[in-house]
Amino acid sequence: MPFTSLRPKIKTILANENDEIDSRLTEVCELLQTNIGYYDWVGFYFANEAEKTLHLRAFAGEPTDHTVIPFGKGICGQVAISNSNFVVPDVSAQNNYIACSINVRSEIVVPLFKDEKNIGQIDIDSHIADPFSVEDERFLEWVNEEVAKIL
Ligand code: SME
């Protein structure tokens, strides 16, 4: 399903105030993981600024052991500090990388800003090498902007 047809669905999910926020975030993860073939794992991590850690709050795909990630560790931890998108076409070329599954070939992490502060991120793992383009970056930035509105 193309990004354009996913946008209204995401808006509908996030606007559903009958569901808890965590349930809505999980539904967004499931929508993306189900409809975009190369999105094999989709999750939202949020920062605990005092502890300098990221905490997994919602996901779709295989359960991961990495529910808490220190700032600076792995792709996610680096984005917590850099405030910038991190596109990894080939995870085997990264030395600061936390492997969640041996099947993962590539990853994209996009920070989520609330009131211009980096409070979390969306993380996508793919079993395909080098699948992510600027279209993914723009789309995921938009997803995060929509999520920020309900936080
Ligand atoms: N690969 C990530 C860890 C999270 S898992 O992909 C779910 C990283 O290096 O930060």
Side-chain angles (χ1 to χ4, degrees), residues 72-88:
K73 299 281 185 196
I75 309 303
C76 296
Q78 291 177 77
V79 169
I81 293 168
S82 73
N83 306 323
S84 299
N85 297 350
F86 200 154
V87 180
V88 183

Side-chain angles (χ1 to χ4, degrees), residues 75 88-99 101-107 126 129-130:
I75 309 303
V88 183
D90 173 7
V91 295
S92 70
Q94 295 291 321
N95 47 26
N96 187 359
Y97 168 70
I98 302 165
S101 151
I102 54 163
N103 297 319
V104 175
R105 304 281 304 279
S106 56
E107 179 162 3
S126 181
D130 197 11

Side-chain angles (χ1 to χ4, degrees), residues 41 45 69 74-76 97-98 100 107 123 125:
W41 189 93
Y45 286 91
I69 298 175
I75 309 303
C76 296
Y97 168 70
I98 302 165
C100 281
E107 179 162 3
D123 176 19
D125 286 344

Side-chain angles (χ1 to χ4, degrees), residues 11-45:
K11 275 185 171 284
T12 301
I13 291 168
L14 292 175
N16 181 8
E17 293 182 356
N18 293 323
D19 280 352
E20 300 290 334
I21 287 176
D22 287 6
S23 304
R24 287 182 252 168
L25 293 178
T26 301
E27 278 186 61
V28 169
C29 292
E30 287 168 349
L31 182 80
L32 299 183
Q33 196 250 358
T34 306
N35 288 285
I36 303 174
Y38 54 98
Y39 284 18
D40 290 293
W41 189 93
V42 179
F44 286 101
Y45 286 91

